Amino acid sequence: MSSVPDGGAITAPQGYRAGATTAGIKESGRPDLALLVSDETASAAALFTSNVVKAPPLVLDREHMTDHRLRAVVVNSGNANAATGARGLADARQMAAMTAARVGCGETDVFVLSTGIIGHYMPMEQVAAGIGKVEPSRGGGGDFARAIMTTDTFVKEAIERFEANGVSYVVGGCAKGAGMIHPDMATMLAFLTTDAPVTAEALDQQLRYAVDRSLNMVTVDGDTSTNDTVVLLANGAAGGRAIDAGDTRAAGALGEALRGVCTELATAIARDGEGATRLIEVTVTGGASWDEARRVARSVVRSPLLKAALSKGDPNWGRVLMAAGNAGVPFDPGGLRLWIGETLLFAKDTTTGVPESEAAKAISGDTVRIRLDLGRGGESAVAWGCDLTEEYVRFNADYVT
Amino acid sequence: MSSVPDGGAITAPQGYRAGATTAGIKESGRPDLALLVSDETASAAALFTSNVVKAPPLVLDREHMTDHRLRAVVVNSGNANAATGARGLADARQMAAMTAARVGCGETDVFVLSTGIIGHYMPMEQVAAGIGKVEPSRGGGGDFARAIMTTDTFVKEAIERFEANGVSYVVGGCAKGAGMIHPDMATMLAFLTTDAPVTAEALDQQLRYAVDRSLNMVTVDGDTSTNDTVVLLANGAAGGRAIDAGDTRAAGALGEALRGVCTELATAIARDGEGATRLIEVTVTGGASWDEARRVARSVVRSPLLKAALSKGDPNWGRVLMAAGNAGVPFDPGGLRLWIGETLLFAKDTTTGVPESEAAKAISGDTVRIRLDLGRGGESAVAWGCDLTEEYVRFNADYVT
């Protein structure tokens, strides 16, 4: 983990500029339109929501990603351009065209993202004015990170450095959270940049590796939005030989750097889950496969019963056990062991008899660590979430559009 | 739907007696031990939780169900006898033995259920005294229904009548809810009786049919307990020819009566979800299969974002759309239509532009009806749930063991 420079994370790698402006899409008057530009056309990879209902910008982006190349990313907050049909798609296409004209690149080299309320058409006049106004610069990464926020209470940025083929590279990233004070802003967006030269295949593989172990392991409330997207640009501005998929050492170094950045963004998103007071980290070891370890970890971290208990420091391990058993993984409870913090609470199919007051000590801080060993093999996975507080319900219930 | 007689629902069919007592398992001093006895050994069927962590009584019950015959059901509230390993299994076995001695039947003809806190050994002295004290009678069905309650705020009973082969039969049922004010009482138990003579195969088939369309379609918070169980006895006390699986007309009549009773119990459980102020009923039509309709309905009804919005009367159809898209069913959003109450809010891949104030009228009452048409076929399913209120979180967080 490296510290983010003043100019922001996504412009920390060479050859990127970013900026943001207030276009007037948000009623609050906060910055709501941002632009990321690579000096040269970059190799690119993206991952989209698994929700079958995808917002129009994502439909456009998939089209634009067929050649795996991008020059610019335009993003607005305040309106998700979701559930807007053919008109929404035309609006997204127009955002790409306007950005292409501003940057001086082809329309298909622009990636478009939107986050905000669902079911309202985009205010295209404001969007057009905003795209005309924004001035991307080398120090604009932080402004970009702030402009994508909706209900986030803090900016989420991270950088990592790695070496491949004797050259030093930087990976930068920023994200907005899936924390949902407001009902329609249920979107996780993450933007990643690197100055390494990477083939499309290697970029795609390493992005998936990193995201599967980080951003895909975050649960705030179990819902996947219509707009969730991760996009990664690799412009090669730092020089060196192109990292390709066959070059496992260099590709692996890139993957670990991406994983580092994405894990930092993921835990920040979980910690900033709306109303949250505690980060919950669930580690599952002893899985017969990574997939089953992952499924158990996710099932535990998303249990509303457990999340509610942890908000008041109640070490309710019965709920951990129940949630683990609901993951659809056929483990033998006789082989399961369960810890909260360092305290072993369940083993050999029964309670260890440790008083809950003992375990309660482990959840007095702002991070709760839960561990389960499935006793089935050597694979492990980690998932992150947050506690469920009355604030979550109040904010989600009281929101008025 | 028929009205439940004063003597209670599960003793409404001929040949059953029930009763309850205060054994002292619950700290509150409320009734906590109940017994159901059939005059003659009955044909029986049962369904158990899909959670891989099953409480010891369920392990014993599966053993006792191998001959598909039962005489008695003993149930306690206040302690779930879960996460208690070999000692828990021995305790459950002892409960069966004590009940068998009291009733005068074989041990394997006794079905044992427990609900309450997880991870504590059963207070067997109190249990023994309770089993010795309870006096089952023809009018004791209501007492039984009250004694199984943990956090339920009202008794859940229902009866239906049906005819088969020229004879009139009664199906009675009672249940305790999955509403979870208290953290460890996450259990749904349902008890069904009929005076029809039914073969084991037909009983099993019709119970599964009814439960899959009723109790399995209820979601309070998405968690499945270690103790969830439905048990059905058919003692044939009303006479007539045995209903077997090949006799589709008679078996179908039984199945619909069971479905009627179970649907009434299911909606009562949803309405009594802890902290709940509204029943949510989600109907999915136009499915290519019943299974996909069911998956979409369940996904919508369990969305915490939607549940929170509905608690304050916010007709947040964007969340319905999002939750439907998360069900893992590959429907085309272009063919989807979505109503809240009678108001069509989404069609042809876009918003219908109806103001949310219009739709809000449909959710001012104590029942919210949501309908989705997938446009893929002729199959449909209904799921029930409740809204998510601050009370849910408060109760679940503040509970002290």
mmCIF file with all atom_site columns, all heavy atoms in Angstrom, chain B residues 174-192:
data_model
loop_
_atom_site.group_PDB
_atom_site.id
_atom_site.type_symbol
_atom_site.label_atom_id
_atom_site.label_alt_id
_atom_site.label_comp_id
_atom_site.label_asym_id
_atom_site.label_entity_id
_atom_site.label_seq_id
_atom_site.pdbx_PDB_ins_code
_atom_site.Cartn_x
_atom_site.Cartn_y
_atom_site.Cartn_z
_atom_site.occupancy
_atom_site.B_iso_or_equiv
_atom_site.pdbx_formal_charge
_atom_site.auth_seq_id
_atom_site.auth_comp_id
_atom_site.auth_asym_id
_atom_site.auth_atom_id
_atom_site.pdbx_PDB_model_num
ATOM 1   N N   . CYS B 1 174 ? -50.980 -25.192 12.608 1.00 0.00 ? 174 CYS B N   1
ATOM 2   C CA  . CYS B 1 174 ? -50.528 -24.019 13.344 1.00 0.00 ? 174 CYS B CA  1
ATOM 3   C C   . CYS B 1 174 ? -49.037 -23.845 13.092 1.00 0.00 ? 174 CYS B C   1
ATOM 4   O O   . CYS B 1 174 ? -48.361 -24.771 12.659 1.00 0.00 ? 174 CYS B O   1
ATOM 5   C CB  . CYS B 1 174 ? -50.844 -24.130 14.838 1.00 0.00 ? 174 CYS B CB  1
ATOM 6   S SG  . CYS B 1 174 ? -49.917 -25.389 15.723 1.00 0.00 ? 174 CYS B SG  1
ATOM 7   N N   . ALA B 1 175 ? -48.550 -22.635 13.341 1.00 0.00 ? 175 ALA B N   1
ATOM 8   C CA  . ALA B 1 175 ? -47.147 -22.355 13.048 1.00 0.00 ? 175 ALA B CA  1
ATOM 9   C C   . ALA B 1 175 ? -46.609 -21.298 13.979 1.00 0.00 ? 175 ALA B C   1
ATOM 10  O O   . ALA B 1 175 ? -47.363 -20.524 14.572 1.00 0.00 ? 175 ALA B O   1
ATOM 11  C CB  . ALA B 1 175 ? -46.989 -21.887 11.599 1.00 0.00 ? 175 ALA B CB  1
ATOM 12  N N   . LYS B 1 176 ? -45.302 -21.286 14.118 1.00 0.00 ? 176 LYS B N   1
ATOM 13  C CA  . LYS B 1 176 ? -44.636 -20.155 14.741 1.00 0.00 ? 176 LYS B CA  1
ATOM 14  C C   . LYS B 1 176 ? -43.773 -19.485 13.676 1.00 0.00 ? 176 LYS B C   1
ATOM 15  O O   . LYS B 1 176 ? -43.319 -20.136 12.727 1.00 0.00 ? 176 LYS B O   1
ATOM 16  C CB  . LYS B 1 176 ? -43.799 -20.555 15.931 1.00 0.00 ? 176 LYS B CB  1
ATOM 17  C CG  . LYS B 1 176 ? -42.514 -21.282 15.562 1.00 0.00 ? 176 LYS B CG  1
ATOM 18  C CD  . LYS B 1 176 ? -41.589 -21.433 16.755 1.00 0.00 ? 176 LYS B CD  1
ATOM 19  C CE  . LYS B 1 176 ? -41.001 -20.114 17.165 1.00 0.00 ? 176 LYS B CE  1
ATOM 20  N NZ  . LYS B 1 176 ? -39.840 -19.696 16.336 1.00 0.00 ? 176 LYS B NZ  1
ATOM 21  N N   . GLY B 1 177 ? -43.549 -18.194 13.841 1.00 0.00 ? 177 GLY B N   1
ATOM 22  C CA  . GLY B 1 177 ? -42.993 -17.422 12.744 1.00 0.00 ? 177 GLY B CA  1
ATOM 23  C C   . GLY B 1 177 ? -41.500 -17.397 12.691 1.00 0.00 ? 177 GLY B C   1
ATOM 24  O O   . GLY B 1 177 ? -40.808 -17.774 13.629 1.00 0.00 ? 177 GLY B O   1
ATOM 25  N N   . ALA B 1 178 ? -41.040 -16.934 11.522 1.00 0.00 ? 178 ALA B N   1
ATOM 26  C CA  . ALA B 1 178 ? -39.620 -16.705 11.321 1.00 0.00 ? 178 ALA B CA  1
ATOM 27  C C   . ALA B 1 178 ? -39.286 -15.259 11.658 1.00 0.00 ? 178 ALA B C   1
ATOM 28  O O   . ALA B 1 178 ? -38.207 -14.792 11.386 1.00 0.00 ? 178 ALA B O   1
ATOM 29  C CB  . ALA B 1 178 ? -39.251 -17.008 9.884  1.00 0.00 ? 178 ALA B CB  1
ATOM 30  N N   . GLY B 1 179 ? -40.223 -14.543 12.226 1.00 0.00 ? 179 GLY B N   1
ATOM 31  C CA  . GLY B 1 179 ? -39.968 -13.155 12.626 1.00 0.00 ? 179 GLY B CA  1
ATOM 32  C C   . GLY B 1 179 ? -39.004 -13.167 13.785 1.00 0.00 ? 179 GLY B C   1
ATOM 33  O O   . GLY B 1 179 ? -39.167 -13.925 14.724 1.00 0.00 ? 179 GLY B O   1
ATOM 34  N N   . MET B 1 180 ? -37.993 -12.333 13.676 1.00 0.00 ? 180 MET B N   1
ATOM 35  C CA  . MET B 1 180 ? -36.896 -12.517 14.612 1.00 0.00 ? 180 MET B CA  1
ATOM 36  C C   . MET B 1 180 ? -36.574 -11.272 15.401 1.00 0.00 ? 180 MET B C   1
ATOM 37  O O   . MET B 1 180 ? -35.648 -10.549 15.096 1.00 0.00 ? 180 MET B O   1
ATOM 38  C CB  . MET B 1 180 ? -35.654 -12.902 13.832 1.00 0.00 ? 180 MET B CB  1
ATOM 39  C CG  . MET B 1 180 ? -35.955 -14.016 12.865 1.00 0.00 ? 180 MET B CG  1
ATOM 40  S SD  . MET B 1 180 ? -34.480 -14.610 12.113 1.00 0.00 ? 180 MET B SD  1
ATOM 41  C CE  . MET B 1 180 ? -35.163 -15.241 10.597 1.00 0.00 ? 180 MET B CE  1
ATOM 42  N N   . ILE B 1 181 ? -37.370 -11.013 16.441 1.00 0.00 ? 181 ILE B N   1
ATOM 43  C CA  . ILE B 1 181 ? -36.992 -9.934  17.330 1.00 0.00 ? 181 ILE B CA  1
ATOM 44  C C   . ILE B 1 181 ? -35.733 -10.363 18.072 1.00 0.00 ? 181 ILE B C   1
ATOM 45  O O   . ILE B 1 181 ? -34.785 -9.628  18.196 1.00 0.00 ? 181 ILE B O   1
ATOM 46  C CB  . ILE B 1 181 ? -38.110 -9.644  18.346 1.00 0.00 ? 181 ILE B CB  1
ATOM 47  C CG1 . ILE B 1 181 ? -39.292 -9.014  17.620 1.00 0.00 ? 181 ILE B CG1 1
ATOM 48  C CG2 . ILE B 1 181 ? -37.594 -8.702  19.428 1.00 0.00 ? 181 ILE B CG2 1
ATOM 49  C CD1 . ILE B 1 181 ? -40.519 -8.867  18.451 1.00 0.00 ? 181 ILE B CD1 1
ATOM 50  N N   . HIS B 1 182 ? -35.746 -11.598 18.532 1.00 0.00 ? 182 HIS B N   1
ATOM 51  C CA  . HIS B 1 182 ? -34.601 -12.108 19.281 1.00 0.00 ? 182 HIS B CA  1
ATOM 52  C C   . HIS B 1 182 ? -33.682 -12.870 18.353 1.00 0.00 ? 182 HIS B C   1
ATOM 53  O O   . HIS B 1 182 ? -34.132 -13.617 17.501 1.00 0.00 ? 182 HIS B O   1
ATOM 54  C CB  . HIS B 1 182 ? -35.080 -12.984 20.425 1.00 0.00 ? 182 HIS B CB  1
ATOM 55  C CG  . HIS B 1 182 ? -35.875 -12.216 21.427 1.00 0.00 ? 182 HIS B CG  1
ATOM 56  N ND1 . HIS B 1 182 ? -35.518 -10.952 21.817 1.00 0.00 ? 182 HIS B ND1 1
ATOM 57  C CD2 . HIS B 1 182 ? -37.006 -12.506 22.087 1.00 0.00 ? 182 HIS B CD2 1
ATOM 58  C CE1 . HIS B 1 182 ? -36.392 -10.517 22.704 1.00 0.00 ? 182 HIS B CE1 1
ATOM 59  N NE2 . HIS B 1 182 ? -37.317 -11.431 22.867 1.00 0.00 ? 182 HIS B NE2 1
ATOM 60  N N   . PRO B 1 183 ? -32.417 -12.706 18.532 1.00 0.00 ? 183 PRO B N   1
ATOM 61  C CA  . PRO B 1 183 ? -31.453 -13.143 17.541 1.00 0.00 ? 183 PRO B CA  1
ATOM 62  C C   . PRO B 1 183 ? -31.433 -14.632 17.262 1.00 0.00 ? 183 PRO B C   1
ATOM 63  O O   . PRO B 1 183 ? -31.164 -15.046 16.150 1.00 0.00 ? 183 PRO B O   1
ATOM 64  C CB  . PRO B 1 183 ? -30.110 -12.695 18.118 1.00 0.00 ? 183 PRO B CB  1
ATOM 65  C CG  . PRO B 1 183 ? -30.360 -12.441 19.557 1.00 0.00 ? 183 PRO B CG  1
ATOM 66  C CD  . PRO B 1 183 ? -31.779 -12.036 19.663 1.00 0.00 ? 183 PRO B CD  1
ATOM 67  N N   . ASP B 1 184 ? -31.668 -15.440 18.260 1.00 0.00 ? 184 ASP B N   1
ATOM 68  C CA  . ASP B 1 184 ? -31.442 -16.862 18.026 1.00 0.00 ? 184 ASP B CA  1
ATOM 69  C C   . ASP B 1 184 ? -32.706 -17.643 17.758 1.00 0.00 ? 184 ASP B C   1
ATOM 70  O O   . ASP B 1 184 ? -32.692 -18.860 17.736 1.00 0.00 ? 184 ASP B O   1
ATOM 71  C CB  . ASP B 1 184 ? -30.752 -17.469 19.243 1.00 0.00 ? 184 ASP B CB  1
ATOM 72  C CG  . ASP B 1 184 ? -29.398 -16.853 19.448 1.00 0.00 ? 184 ASP B CG  1
ATOM 73  O OD1 . ASP B 1 184 ? -28.644 -16.786 18.479 1.00 0.00 ? 184 ASP B OD1 1
ATOM 74  O OD2 . ASP B 1 184 ? -29.114 -16.435 20.571 1.00 0.00 ? 184 ASP B OD2 1
ATOM 75  N N   . MET B 1 185 ? -33.814 -16.954 17.610 1.00 0.00 ? 185 MET B N   1
ATOM 76  C CA  . MET B 1 185 ? -35.081 -17.675 17.512 1.00 0.00 ? 185 MET B CA  1
ATOM 77  C C   . MET B 1 185 ? -35.580 -17.685 16.086 1.00 0.00 ? 185 MET B C   1
ATOM 78  O O   . MET B 1 185 ? -36.764 -17.533 15.820 1.00 0.00 ? 185 MET B O   1
ATOM 79  C CB  . MET B 1 185 ? -36.081 -17.035 18.454 1.00 0.00 ? 185 MET B CB  1
ATOM 80  C CG  . MET B 1 185 ? -35.507 -16.967 19.853 1.00 0.00 ? 185 MET B CG  1
ATOM 81  S SD  . MET B 1 185 ? -36.761 -16.712 21.056 1.00 0.00 ? 185 MET B SD  1
ATOM 82  C CE  . MET B 1 185 ? -35.828 -16.921 22.571 1.00 0.00 ? 185 MET B CE  1
ATOM 83  N N   . ALA B 1 186 ? -34.649 -17.886 15.211 1.00 0.00 ? 186 ALA B N   1
ATOM 84  C CA  . ALA B 1 186 ? -34.911 -17.732 13.792 1.00 0.00 ? 186 ALA B CA  1
ATOM 85  C C   . ALA B 1 186 ? -35.555 -18.965 13.194 1.00 0.00 ? 186 ALA B C   1
ATOM 86  O O   . ALA B 1 186 ? -35.123 -19.463 12.174 1.00 0.00 ? 186 ALA B O   1
ATOM 87  C CB  . ALA B 1 186 ? -33.585 -17.448 13.114 1.00 0.00 ? 186 ALA B CB  1
ATOM 88  N N   . THR B 1 187 ? -36.589 -19.436 13.820 1.00 0.00 ? 187 THR B N   1
ATOM 89  C CA  . THR B 1 187 ? -37.106 -20.722 13.379 1.00 0.00 ? 187 THR B CA  1
ATOM 90  C C   . THR B 1 187 ? -38.565 -20.676 12.978 1.00 0.00 ? 187 THR B C   1
ATOM 91  O O   . THR B 1 187 ? -39.383 -20.088 13.660 1.00 0.00 ? 187 THR B O   1
ATOM 92  C CB  . THR B 1 187 ? -36.913 -21.765 14.498 1.00 0.00 ? 187 THR B CB  1
ATOM 93  O OG1 . THR B 1 187 ? -35.529 -22.032 14.614 1.00 0.00 ? 187 THR B OG1 1
ATOM 94  C CG2 . THR B 1 187 ? -37.649 -23.048 14.204 1.00 0.00 ? 187 THR B CG2 1
ATOM 95  N N   . MET B 1 188 ? -38.854 -21.325 11.834 1.00 0.00 ? 188 MET B N   1
ATOM 96  C CA  . MET B 1 188 ? -40.228 -21.505 11.416 1.00 0.00 ? 188 MET B CA  1
ATOM 97  C C   . MET B 1 188 ? -40.602 -22.959 11.679 1.00 0.00 ? 188 MET B C   1
ATOM 98  O O   . MET B 1 188 ? -39.957 -23.872 11.179 1.00 0.00 ? 188 MET B O   1
ATOM 99  C CB  . MET B 1 188 ? -40.338 -21.181 9.916  1.00 0.00 ? 188 MET B CB  1
ATOM 100 C CG  . MET B 1 188 ? -41.751 -21.095 9.390  1.00 0.00 ? 188 MET B CG  1
ATOM 101 S SD  . MET B 1 188 ? -42.487 -22.693 8.998  1.00 0.00 ? 188 MET B SD  1
ATOM 102 C CE  . MET B 1 188 ? -41.423 -23.171 7.639  1.00 0.00 ? 188 MET B CE  1
ATOM 103 N N   . LEU B 1 189 ? -41.632 -23.159 12.480 1.00 0.00 ? 189 LEU B N   1
ATOM 104 C CA  . LEU B 1 189 ? -42.149 -24.504 12.709 1.00 0.00 ? 189 LEU B CA  1
ATOM 105 C C   . LEU B 1 189 ? -43.613 -24.521 12.305 1.00 0.00 ? 189 LEU B C   1
ATOM 106 O O   . LEU B 1 189 ? -44.345 -23.593 12.621 1.00 0.00 ? 189 LEU B O   1
ATOM 107 C CB  . LEU B 1 189 ? -42.060 -24.891 14.194 1.00 0.00 ? 189 LEU B CB  1
ATOM 108 C CG  . LEU B 1 189 ? -40.693 -24.941 14.870 1.00 0.00 ? 189 LEU B CG  1
ATOM 109 C CD1 . LEU B 1 189 ? -40.857 -25.366 16.335 1.00 0.00 ? 189 LEU B CD1 1
ATOM 110 C CD2 . LEU B 1 189 ? -39.759 -25.892 14.153 1.00 0.00 ? 189 LEU B CD2 1
ATOM 111 N N   . ALA B 1 190 ? -44.025 -25.572 11.596 1.00 0.00 ? 190 ALA B N   1
ATOM 112 C CA  . ALA B 1 190 ? -45.439 -25.716 11.270 1.00 0.00 ? 190 ALA B CA  1
ATOM 113 C C   . ALA B 1 190 ? -45.875 -27.152 11.535 1.00 0.00 ? 190 ALA B C   1
ATOM 114 O O   . ALA B 1 190 ? -45.135 -28.106 11.275 1.00 0.00 ? 190 ALA B O   1
ATOM 115 C CB  . ALA B 1 190 ? -45.703 -25.330 9.824  1.00 0.00 ? 190 ALA B CB  1
ATOM 116 N N   . PHE B 1 191 ? -47.090 -27.273 12.089 1.00 0.00 ? 191 PHE B N   1
ATOM 117 C CA  . PHE B 1 191 ? -47.661 -28.554 12.473 1.00 0.00 ? 191 PHE B CA  1
ATOM 118 C C   . PHE B 1 191 ? -48.982 -28.715 11.747 1.00 0.00 ? 191 PHE B C   1
ATOM 119 O O   . PHE B 1 191 ? -49.838 -27.831 11.840 1.00 0.00 ? 191 PHE B O   1
ATOM 120 C CB  . PHE B 1 191 ? -47.888 -28.592 13.986 1.00 0.00 ? 191 PHE B CB  1
ATOM 121 C CG  . PHE B 1 191 ? -46.637 -28.324 14.765 1.00 0.00 ? 191 PHE B CG  1
ATOM 122 C CD1 . PHE B 1 191 ? -46.248 -27.016 15.045 1.00 0.00 ? 191 PHE B CD1 1
ATOM 123 C CD2 . PHE B 1 191 ? -45.831 -29.367 15.184 1.00 0.00 ? 191 PHE B CD2 1
ATOM 124 C CE1 . PHE B 1 191 ? -45.077 -26.769 15.751 1.00 0.00 ? 191 PHE B CE1 1
ATOM 125 C CE2 . PHE B 1 191 ? -44.648 -29.124 15.893 1.00 0.00 ? 191 PHE B CE2 1
ATOM 126 C CZ  . PHE B 1 191 ? -44.274 -27.815 16.168 1.00 0.00 ? 191 PHE B CZ  1
ATOM 127 N N   . LEU B 1 192 ? -49.148 -29.810 11.020 1.00 0.00 ? 192 LEU B N   1
ATOM 128 C CA  . LEU B 1 192 ? -50.361 -30.022 10.239 1.00 0.00 ? 192 LEU B CA  1
ATOM 129 C C   . LEU B 1 192 ? -50.954 -31.376 10.587 1.00 0.00 ? 192 LEU B C   1
ATOM 130 O O   . LEU B 1 192 ? -50.224 -32.357 10.785 1.00 0.00 ? 192 LEU B O   1
ATOM 131 C CB  . LEU B 1 192 ? -50.023 -29.980 8.744  1.00 0.00 ? 192 LEU B CB  1
ATOM 132 C CG  . LEU B 1 192 ? -49.359 -28.692 8.245  1.00 0.00 ? 192 LEU B CG  1
ATOM 133 C CD1 . LEU B 1 192 ? -48.697 -28.916 6.892  1.00 0.00 ? 192 LEU B CD1 1
ATOM 134 C CD2 . LEU B 1 192 ? -50.379 -27.565 8.161  1.00 0.00 ? 192 LEU B CD2 1
#
